[in-house]
Amino acid sequence: MPGARREPDPAARQRLLRIRGRSVAWVPPLLLLLGIAVLDWNTSGEFRIISWIVLVPGIAAAICGVWGTAVFAALAVVTYVVVDTSWPHQYQTGLPDFILVTAGGVLATLACAVRVRGERRMVHMRDIAEATRRAVLRPLPPGWGGLDHAAVYLSADVEARVGGDFYDIQPGPHGTRVLLGDVQGKGLGAVETASAMLGTFRESAYHEAALGTVAARLEVRMLRHVRYCDAVGRADGDRFATGVLVGFREDAPDEVEVVNFGHEPPLVVAPGGVRSLPPGDGLPLGLGELAGGLPPVLRVPLAPGETLLLVTDGVTEARDGDDVFFPLVDRVAAALTADPRTVEPRRLVRLVRDGTLRHSGGRLEDDTTIFAVRRPTALTSRSAAGG
């Protein structure tokens, strides 16, 4: 992906070097050692290849552990001495190649130690990145908040695993609230901003009775965060975030409340087709003062069984080789015509994810979030109850 260099995955390499749970990393260097010894034994005295045995610890350094590499380095030296001294004196390669094989083994062992330490550090950093991702984008259990839901997050930075996109579902005494947003910019500053937005959402969405109050809390939190960044001299003090806030009220089963902070309007996906929700007139979070207030709370119809599809601009701005944007509505509509079950959140999210990746050739220019939620139908409720 652009802007991100994919590092080798040590875990994947180790899996390739295992058969039935046991490591076979020692097999390639051992076969090489035996092959060089046998070939040298069966060649003429004028053409000796025993010094090639220096390759053995080098191969081991790439795929074995430190102790395994040290063992092969020692075996290489011993094999060299045994094979070379078995030849008549005039054909022996002697001390220079002995020094070469010995030094090669020592260097290979040191290189392996550096490689292993780097891989451990890489795994540790990936664990930290995964912990950060789970802290910002917490796992949502099935049926959380009384909603059928599915989500996919694809980071443009393959190593960071988390960026400026954020989403969550928060049930509470005043209904279930859903938030999806996209922080302007990239890097750790965007992750910090996303974390601040989610923290405020989780508390206010639970305690506040009115969705408009939740929206106001998010706006205030963004302004406070920007002021803090300014105070500490951070370059991301002008940060803002687009977002969509949705409220599922228990006393209004056929509609939802929506506050749109300058984000792409959600799509309503129904077995009969696709429609877009009103865009609203709001500016992104952090820019509300420019509009003289917050965006309005819109009440829009959403029948049970209809799915609300929310995406970030990683989907809507994905382009192919001809610079053509991904036709989200057309793809979803065509899939519904072919299979009405596409309305199910998991199927819908999978369709949009696969379509976006195919359209862009797997090259994501921005973080990509695909989030689908719906009130469960009577059929899905019975299926869940039945196990």
Side-chain angles (χ1 to χ4, degrees):
M1 296 178 188
R5 181 171 59 90
R6 186 180 293 276
E7 298 292 343
D9 186 349
R13 181 169 62 228
Q14 291 302 318
R15 286 193 296 270
L16 290 174
L17 295 172
R18 286 184 175 274
I19 296 178
R20 295 181 180 179
R22 296 190 175 186
S23 175
V24 293
W26 53 271
V27 173
L30 179 61
L31 292 177
L32 180 63
L33 184 145
L34 295 175
I36 291 174
V38 170
L39 285 175
D40 185 82
W41 183 264
N42 289 279
T43 56
S44 64
E46 288 77 13
F47 182 74
R48 300 288 311 283
I49 65 169
I50 189 60
S51 59
W52 293 8
I53 209 166
V54 72
L55 297 175
V56 171
I59 298 298
I63 58 178
C64 297
V66 176
W67 285 109
T69 302
V71 168
F72 276 110
L75 284 175
V77 172
V78 171
T79 303
Y80 170 82
V81 172
V82 171
V83 173
D84 192 50
T85 55
S86 65
W87 284 85
H89 179 73
Q90 66 270 26
Y91 296 126
Q92 293 179 10
T93 56
L95 182 62
D97 284 357
F98 173 80
I99 295 175
L100 173 66
V101 173
T102 303
V106 172
L107 293 176
T109 304
L110 292 175
C112 182
V114 172
R115 190 208 90 212
V116 169
R117 184 173 62 180
E119 288 181 351
R120 287 175 180 169
R121 179 177 178 83
M122 182 188 302
V123 171
H124 180 63
M125 294 303 295
R126 289 186 178 182
D127 288 343
I128 293 175
E130 180 64 18
T132 302
R133 188 190 69 81
R134 293 176 66 88
V136 176
L137 302 177
R138 61 181 181 177
L140 298 175
W144 184 240
L147 300 177
D148 290 337
H149 62 83
V152 166
Y153 175 80
L154 304 172
S155 175
D157 187 336
V158 295
E159 298 304 322
R161 299 194 179 192
V162 65
D165 287 5
F166 56 93
Y167 63 89
D168 203 1
I169 298 174
Q170 181 58 59
H174 310 291
T176 298
R177 276 73 185 262
V178 173
L179 176 66
L180 177 136
D182 183 1
V183 177
Q184 169 263 340
K186 301 180 185 296
L188 293 177
V191 177
E192 183 181 354
T193 304
S195 178
M197 292 295 97
L198 286 173
T200 298
F201 167 73
R202 289 162 185 164
E203 291 302 310
S204 61
Y206 180 87
H207 291 288
E208 300 296 342
L211 192 69
T213 306
V214 179
R217 290 288 186 90
L218 292 171
E219 175 71 14
V220 171
R221 183 68 182 93
M222 177 60 77
L223 293 174
R224 289 171 53 203
H225 182 73
V226 169
R227 284 197 292 268
Y228 169 79
C229 292
D230 286 337
V232 297
R234 290 248 296 272
D236 57 353
D238 59 347
R239 201 175 292 277
F240 59 85
T242 64
V244 179
L245 178 63
V246 183
F248 291 82
R249 295 167 48 194
E250 294 181 359
D251 60 349
D254 296 322
E255 69 175 22
V256 291
E257 297 178 320
V258 180
V259 181
N260 192 323
F261 293 95
H263 197 83
E264 187 76 17
L267 298 178
V268 176
V269 182
V274 183
R275 69 180 188 273
S276 177
L277 293 188
D281 301 320
L283 292 180
L285 287 160
L287 303 179
E289 295 177 347
L290 300 178
L294 295 174
V297 178
L298 304 177
R299 289 180 172 83
V300 297
L302 186 72
E306 293 183 331
T307 299
L308 203 60
L309 176 63
L310 306 96
V311 301
T312 58
D313 55 11
V315 173
T316 56
E317 296 182 5
R319 307 186 189 203
D320 61 11
D322 297 324
D323 215 30
V324 176
F325 289 109
F326 176 60
L328 175 61
V329 176
D330 293 342
R331 292 289 178 86
V332 174
L336 283 170
T337 301
D339 185 0
R341 293 178 302 171
T342 303
V343 73
E344 298 172 9
R346 289 187 181 277
R347 292 174 181 267
L348 183 59
V349 165
R350 186 165 56 246
L351 167 76
V352 177
R353 178 201 63 192
D354 294 346
T356 301
L357 290 174
R358 280 196 300 267
H359 186 80
S360 63
R363 299 182 298 273
L364 299 177
E365 298 290 346
D366 201 355
D367 295 335
T368 301
T369 299
I370 308 159
F371 193 27
V373 294
R374 70 171 179 177
R375 288 188 176 96
T377 62
L379 178 62
T380 57
S381 297
R382 286 196 298 269
S383 299

